[in-house]
Amino acid sequence: MSESRSVVITGASRGLGLASARHLYHRGWHVVAAMRSVEKGMAALREATGAAENDPRLVGVQLDLCDSESVTAAAAAIRDLIGVPYAVVHNAGISAAGAVEETPMDLWQKMFATHLFGPVALTRELLPGMRAAGRGRIVLISSAGGVRGMPVISAYSAAKGALERWGESLAGEIAPYGLGVTILVTGVFDTEIITDEGTLTFRDFDGPYGRHHRTIDRRGRAAMRIANPPEKFAVRLGRALDGKAPYTRRSVGVDAAALLVSNRLLPTKAMHQVVRVAMGLPKYKAMRPATPRLGPTARAMIFAAKVLPESVMRRIVLMLMKIRPPMTPAAPAAGAPVIDKSPDSITEDGHRGEESPIHD
């Protein structure tokens, strides 16, 4: 690389962000690591890179994407440290598992703040300088959940899907100024976010979606055993930052590549079934409550009501009533007392013609 370019990486204290910061630092980039805990994160980065504490090519900035004031302060700190960055990598993210009914609304708000609202706010702060410089790249880290809505991680899928749509829109706006957008769709990587400790869970294994959770949990743990190393992602990110296309969307990992190809070639109904089978979910209507079976006469009447005009159905009902008149009360058994309900009958208390206080 002929010149030292600068890159801002959010969520650089661990996982894909840390691996990417280490890789780019060794390639000669000026790395700004944006993270919530700067002291802890920078200690991990210096250990991973071998950088000295006062190395100007590796600096940390405090950033909480859920706090608008923190985003504004981080953008100001970035400008003070390196001026206008060449690239911004929106890598920070959180993971959560739970069905829609189980997931609280504040989790949805936190998910969108982390994956969409925060990145949008930080980009808005940095874009004027990048646009004036006439070069640079915005990189958005997506995943399988951003390609297809995945069961039991709906909040995460919705946020990642929204991130991708924003990236597509942004690319059209900034391309005339010499800036590009890259979306990297990641597969399964061996990072903390795929572990129990790195994922918020709202799953009720004894609730109505317990069967879903047990199956998906087993298959997810099996997938973790073949997860890709973070270093593989870092190399692919380095290539993406060298790209010149105004907009590009690439997969990182064999599993992500297979999903993108399938989603492009198969119709929506087929992809729904592919996801269902891959996650081991029951078939359509397999878990609905049992309903009583109707006899042939009732089924015939329901079908007729759907296809025949109302006037015809009315005549049929009247005809059936003539054929089978309403049942009349049975005659009293021999020896049973006969109750006279005529107005002149004498009630049990000896009064004639009084209205009973008990009504039907």
Side-chain angles (χ1 to χ4, degrees):
M1 195 167 60
S2 59
E3 60 176 332
S4 178
R5 290 179 290 179
S6 57
V7 57
V8 177
I9 305 176
T10 67
S13 62
R14 58 183 181 177
L16 300 182
L18 188 148
S20 299
R22 179 177 58 219
H23 176 74
L24 294 175
Y25 173 82
H26 286 153
R27 286 189 60 195
W29 284 75
H30 190 155
V31 178
V32 178
M35 57 192 79
R36 284 181 295 181
S37 177
V38 176
E39 183 177 353
K40 180 180 178 182
M42 288 305 297
L45 272 174
R46 292 189 184 105
E47 180 180 356
T49 59
E53 187 171 348
N54 59 350
D55 190 333
R57 286 202 305 109
L58 184 64
V59 293
V61 169
Q62 199 281 330
L63 172 65
D64 182 350
L65 290 169
C66 296
D67 184 345
S68 59
E69 293 184 359
S70 175
V71 173
T72 302
I78 291 168
R79 287 190 291 265
D80 290 342
L81 287 168
I82 61 171
V84 178
Y86 176 83
V88 180
V89 179
H90 291 294
N91 165 77
I94 57 174
S95 175
V100 173
E101 288 186 66
E102 299 168 332
T103 309
M105 287 308 301
D106 59 351
L107 183 276
W108 284 79
Q109 294 164 357
K110 184 176 181 180
M111 191 69 73
F112 271 78
T114 303
H115 291 276
L116 181 65
F117 302 147
V120 170
L122 182 60
T123 302
R124 279 170 49 89
E125 292 280 350
L126 298 176
L127 264 183
M130 297 175 70
R131 180 167 42 78
R135 85 285 185 278
R137 198 148 205 92
I138 306 294
V139 180
L140 311 179
I141 309 305
S142 183
S143 69
V147 179
R148 298 286 307 179
M150 297 295 178
V152 186
I153 56 166
S154 55
Y156 178 84
S157 277
K160 284 297 189 183
L163 179 74
E164 287 203 15
R165 302 295 83 74
W166 167 56
E168 293 170 359
S169 301
L170 178 66
E173 297 170 358
I174 64 178
Y177 298 96
L179 281 70
V181 173
T182 296
I183 294 176
L184 293 180
V185 179
T186 62
V188 180
F189 281 86
D190 186 13
T191 66
E192 188 182 60
I193 200 170
I194 67 172
T195 65
D196 293 336
E197 293 77 14
T199 300
L200 299 170
T201 183
F202 301 92
R203 298 171 294 176
D204 181 0
F205 283 84
D206 297 320
Y209 300 98
R211 180 175 172 182
H212 295 36
H213 297 321
R214 287 187 290 273
T215 303
I216 293 174
D217 187 68
R218 285 195 302 270
R219 300 198 176 195
R221 293 182 187 280
M224 288 167 58
R225 293 195 290 268
I226 58 173
N228 294 303
E231 290 74 21
K232 181 178 179 179
F233 169 85
V235 171
R236 191 59 183 269
L237 172 63
R239 295 174 186 167
L241 291 174
D242 292 334
K244 302 300 180 182
Y247 172 77
T248 184
R249 184 173 182 246
R250 295 286 183 265
S251 60
V252 187
V254 176
D255 48 348
L259 177 62
L260 285 181
V261 172
S262 301
N263 195 56
R264 187 179 302 116
L265 298 179
L266 296 179
T268 300
K269 291 175 65 175
M271 275 304 300
H272 176 81
Q273 294 301 323
V274 167
V275 172
R276 182 189 68 78
V277 172
M279 303 188 81
L281 297 179
K283 294 181 179 180
Y284 180 55
K285 297 184 180 180
M287 295 176 62
R288 70 175 181 174
T291 55
R293 294 179 62 85
L294 299 175
T297 303
R299 291 199 299 270
M301 289 297 293
I302 293 173
F303 176 77
K306 292 179 179 179
V307 299
L308 296 178
E310 183 180 352
S311 58
V312 175
M313 280 301 301
R314 191 181 300 114
R315 292 174 184 172
I316 292 175
V317 172
L318 292 174
M319 182 179 67
L320 291 175
M321 291 179 65
K322 291 178 180 179
I323 297 174
R324 297 184 61 186
M327 295 180 62
T328 57
V338 179
I339 300 176
D340 185 1
K341 294 185 179 180
S342 65
D344 295 330
S345 64
I346 300 176
T347 60
E348 195 174 58
D349 60 4
H351 295 283
R352 186 183 298 274
E354 285 188 6
E355 183 180 359
S356 171
I358 301 176
H359 300 274
D360 289 335

